[in-house]
mmCIF file of all heavy atoms in Angstrom:
data_model
loop_
_atom_site.group_PDB
_atom_site.id
_atom_site.type_symbol
_atom_site.label_atom_id
_atom_site.label_comp_id
_atom_site.label_asym_id
_atom_site.label_seq_id
_atom_site.Cartn_x
_atom_site.Cartn_y
_atom_site.Cartn_z
ATOM 1 N N CYS A 68 9.238 55.126 57.342
ATOM 2 C CA CYS A 68 9.436 53.954 58.165
ATOM 3 C C CYS A 68 10.518 53.101 57.457
ATOM 4 O O CYS A 68 10.434 52.900 56.292
ATOM 5 C CB CYS A 68 8.150 53.215 58.320
ATOM 6 S SG CYS A 68 6.861 54.090 59.121
ATOM 7 N N ILE A 69 11.309 52.533 58.222
ATOM 8 C CA ILE A 69 12.399 51.497 57.749
ATOM 9 C C ILE A 69 12.017 50.231 58.367
ATOM 10 O O ILE A 69 12.145 50.101 59.624
ATOM 11 C CB ILE A 69 13.841 51.985 58.232
ATOM 12 C CG1 ILE A 69 14.086 53.455 57.820
ATOM 13 C CG2 ILE A 69 14.809 51.099 57.539
ATOM 14 C CD1 ILE A 69 14.053 53.785 56.472
ATOM 15 N N GLY A 70 11.773 49.242 57.531
ATOM 16 C CA GLY A 70 11.433 47.900 57.942
ATOM 17 C C GLY A 70 12.761 47.098 58.060
ATOM 18 O O GLY A 70 13.660 47.205 57.212
ATOM 19 N N VAL A 71 12.896 46.306 59.163
ATOM 20 C CA VAL A 71 14.057 45.453 59.330
ATOM 21 C C VAL A 71 13.544 43.999 59.534
ATOM 22 O O VAL A 71 12.911 43.597 60.497
ATOM 23 C CB VAL A 71 14.849 45.807 60.616
ATOM 24 C CG1 VAL A 71 16.086 44.996 60.845
ATOM 25 C CG2 VAL A 71 15.149 47.371 60.664
ATOM 26 N N LEU A 72 13.892 43.243 58.499
ATOM 27 C CA LEU A 72 13.515 41.829 58.436
ATOM 28 C C LEU A 72 14.777 40.940 58.868
ATOM 29 O O LEU A 72 15.820 41.077 58.214
ATOM 30 C CB LEU A 72 13.091 41.412 57.097
ATOM 31 C CG LEU A 72 12.571 39.961 56.906
ATOM 32 C CD1 LEU A 72 11.389 39.552 57.826
ATOM 33 C CD2 LEU A 72 12.165 39.594 55.505
ATOM 34 N N PHE A 73 14.669 40.220 59.944
ATOM 35 C CA PHE A 73 15.782 39.371 60.388
ATOM 36 C C PHE A 73 15.809 38.030 59.546
ATOM 37 O O PHE A 73 14.785 37.414 59.497
ATOM 38 C CB PHE A 73 15.611 39.106 61.867
ATOM 39 C CG PHE A 73 15.919 40.286 62.724
ATOM 40 C CD1 PHE A 73 15.091 41.423 62.898
ATOM 41 C CD2 PHE A 73 17.185 40.314 63.484
ATOM 42 C CE1 PHE A 73 15.351 42.491 63.708
ATOM 43 C CE2 PHE A 73 17.500 41.441 64.325
ATOM 44 C CZ PHE A 73 16.604 42.525 64.348
ATOM 45 N N LEU A 74 17.030 37.766 59.097
ATOM 46 C CA LEU A 74 17.155 36.553 58.266
ATOM 47 C C LEU A 74 18.171 35.650 58.833
ATOM 48 O O LEU A 74 19.205 36.128 59.380
ATOM 49 C CB LEU A 74 17.521 36.826 56.816
ATOM 50 C CG LEU A 74 16.562 37.865 56.099
ATOM 51 C CD1 LEU A 74 17.321 38.267 54.816
ATOM 52 C CD2 LEU A 74 15.263 37.166 55.807
ATOM 53 N N LYS A 75 18.053 34.273 58.686
ATOM 54 C CA LYS A 75 19.080 33.409 59.228
ATOM 55 C C LYS A 75 20.174 33.087 58.136
ATOM 56 O O LYS A 75 21.271 32.740 58.489
ATOM 57 C CB LYS A 75 18.447 32.025 59.638
ATOM 58 C CG LYS A 75 17.543 32.224 60.821
ATOM 59 C CD LYS A 75 17.115 30.879 61.410
ATOM 60 C CE LYS A 75 16.342 31.173 62.697
ATOM 61 N NZ LYS A 75 16.004 30.082 63.438
ATOM 62 N N GLU A 76 19.740 33.162 56.815
ATOM 63 C CA GLU A 76 20.686 32.915 55.732
ATOM 64 C C GLU A 76 20.754 34.174 54.839
ATOM 65 O O GLU A 76 19.758 34.932 54.701
ATOM 66 C CB GLU A 76 20.222 31.759 54.947
ATOM 67 C CG GLU A 76 20.245 30.441 55.734
ATOM 68 C CD GLU A 76 19.829 29.310 55.051
ATOM 69 O OE1 GLU A 76 19.652 29.422 53.776
ATOM 70 O OE2 GLU A 76 19.587 28.184 55.558
ATOM 71 N N ALA A 77 21.906 34.366 54.179
ATOM 72 C CA ALA A 77 22.026 35.505 53.213
ATOM 73 C C ALA A 77 21.072 35.403 52.077
ATOM 74 O O ALA A 77 20.743 34.351 51.628
ATOM 75 C CB ALA A 77 23.504 35.528 52.728
ATOM 76 N N SER A 78 20.648 36.570 51.591
ATOM 77 C CA SER A 78 19.877 36.735 50.415
ATOM 78 C C SER A 78 20.312 37.931 49.677
ATOM 79 O O SER A 78 21.104 38.654 50.232
ATOM 80 C CB SER A 78 18.376 36.770 50.798
ATOM 81 O OG SER A 78 18.086 38.088 51.348
ATOM 82 N N PRO A 79 19.917 38.046 48.490
ATOM 83 C CA PRO A 79 20.235 39.312 47.674
ATOM 84 C C PRO A 79 19.747 40.516 48.483
ATOM 85 O O PRO A 79 18.767 40.552 49.029
ATOM 86 C CB PRO A 79 19.544 39.217 46.352
ATOM 87 C CG PRO A 79 19.263 37.748 46.172
ATOM 88 C CD PRO A 79 19.155 37.155 47.559
ATOM 89 N N ASP A 80 20.675 41.509 48.555
ATOM 90 C CA ASP A 80 20.462 42.741 49.288
ATOM 91 C C ASP A 80 20.521 42.665 50.816
ATOM 92 O O ASP A 80 20.263 43.649 51.514
ATOM 93 C CB ASP A 80 19.053 43.409 48.957
ATOM 94 C CG ASP A 80 19.053 43.727 47.435
ATOM 95 O OD1 ASP A 80 20.080 44.052 46.800
ATOM 96 O OD2 ASP A 80 17.845 43.738 46.919
ATOM 97 N N SER A 81 20.761 41.497 51.330
ATOM 98 C CA SER A 81 20.795 41.463 52.844
ATOM 99 C C SER A 81 22.173 41.912 53.400
ATOM 100 O O SER A 81 23.199 41.951 52.645
ATOM 101 C CB SER A 81 20.601 39.938 53.349
ATOM 102 O OG SER A 81 21.586 39.080 52.877
ATOM 103 N N ILE A 82 22.200 42.388 54.633
ATOM 104 C CA ILE A 82 23.467 42.827 55.172
ATOM 105 C C ILE A 82 23.728 42.031 56.449
ATOM 106 O O ILE A 82 22.865 41.610 57.276
ATOM 107 C CB ILE A 82 23.232 44.308 55.661
ATOM 108 C CG1 ILE A 82 22.836 45.207 54.423
ATOM 109 C CG2 ILE A 82 24.417 44.889 56.192
ATOM 110 C CD1 ILE A 82 22.409 46.576 54.669
ATOM 111 N N LYS A 83 24.982 41.683 56.636
ATOM 112 C CA LYS A 83 25.363 40.799 57.765
ATOM 113 C C LYS A 83 25.399 41.648 59.064
ATOM 114 O O LYS A 83 25.708 42.921 59.142
ATOM 115 C CB LYS A 83 26.864 40.402 57.586
ATOM 116 C CG LYS A 83 27.383 39.451 58.641
ATOM 117 C CD LYS A 83 27.920 38.233 58.152
ATOM 118 C CE LYS A 83 28.520 37.286 59.071
ATOM 119 N NZ LYS A 83 27.515 36.534 59.857
ATOM 120 N N ILE A 84 24.863 41.044 60.067
ATOM 121 C CA ILE A 84 24.827 41.612 61.445
ATOM 122 C C ILE A 84 26.115 41.572 62.115
ATOM 123 O O ILE A 84 26.713 40.453 62.004
ATOM 124 C CB ILE A 84 23.704 40.884 62.253
ATOM 125 C CG1 ILE A 84 22.280 41.220 61.634
ATOM 126 C CG2 ILE A 84 23.712 41.337 63.721
ATOM 127 C CD1 ILE A 84 21.238 40.303 62.407
ATOM 128 N N SER A 85 26.485 42.443 62.917
ATOM 129 C CA SER A 85 27.718 42.381 63.689
ATOM 130 C C SER A 85 27.259 42.510 65.191
ATOM 131 O O SER A 85 26.355 43.325 65.459
ATOM 132 C CB SER A 85 28.793 43.349 63.375
ATOM 133 O OG SER A 85 28.339 44.681 63.516
ATOM 134 N N ARG A 86 27.935 41.762 65.985
ATOM 135 C CA ARG A 86 27.697 41.922 67.537
ATOM 136 C C ARG A 86 29.007 42.069 68.210
ATOM 137 O O ARG A 86 30.044 41.433 67.793
ATOM 138 C CB ARG A 86 27.016 40.504 67.951
ATOM 139 C CG ARG A 86 25.643 40.368 67.369
ATOM 140 C CD ARG A 86 25.103 39.059 67.953
ATOM 141 N NE ARG A 86 23.711 38.787 67.578
ATOM 142 C CZ ARG A 86 23.322 38.221 66.432
ATOM 143 N NH1 ARG A 86 24.149 37.766 65.599
ATOM 144 N NH2 ARG A 86 21.996 38.034 66.253
ATOM 145 N N LYS A 87 28.919 42.808 69.297
ATOM 146 C CA LYS A 87 30.075 43.066 70.129
ATOM 147 C C LYS A 87 30.334 42.015 71.147
ATOM 148 O O LYS A 87 29.388 41.580 71.688
ATOM 149 C CB LYS A 87 30.088 44.445 70.756
ATOM 150 C CG LYS A 87 30.158 45.676 69.875
ATOM 151 C CD LYS A 87 30.016 46.860 70.579
ATOM 152 C CE LYS A 87 30.048 48.072 69.641
ATOM 153 N NZ LYS A 87 29.831 49.318 70.212
ATOM 154 N N LYS A 88 31.563 41.480 71.232
ATOM 155 C CA LYS A 88 31.890 40.558 72.308
ATOM 156 C C LYS A 88 32.509 41.143 73.507
ATOM 157 O O LYS A 88 33.290 42.091 73.400
ATOM 158 C CB LYS A 88 32.881 39.478 71.717
ATOM 159 C CG LYS A 88 32.307 38.282 71.259
ATOM 160 C CD LYS A 88 33.307 37.133 70.941
ATOM 161 C CE LYS A 88 32.676 36.007 70.289
ATOM 162 N NZ LYS A 88 33.670 34.993 69.897
ATOM 163 N N MET A 89 32.202 40.711 74.675
ATOM 164 C CA MET A 89 32.805 41.128 75.876
ATOM 165 C C MET A 89 34.046 40.245 76.147
ATOM 166 O O MET A 89 34.262 39.275 75.523
ATOM 167 C CB MET A 89 31.795 41.034 77.049
ATOM 168 C CG MET A 89 30.646 41.979 76.902
ATOM 169 S SD MET A 89 29.491 42.048 78.272
ATOM 170 C CE MET A 89 29.224 40.467 78.897
#
Side-chain angles (χ1 to χ4, degrees):
C68 299
I69 311 298
V71 182
L72 179 64
F73 285 76
L74 304 169
K75 291 189 180 189
E76 296 177 12
S78 71
D80 299 334
S81 65
I82 302 171
K83 183 128 175 79
I84 293 172
S85 62
R86 293 180 172 90
K87 291 182 183 172
K88 264 190 184 176
M89 297 190 313

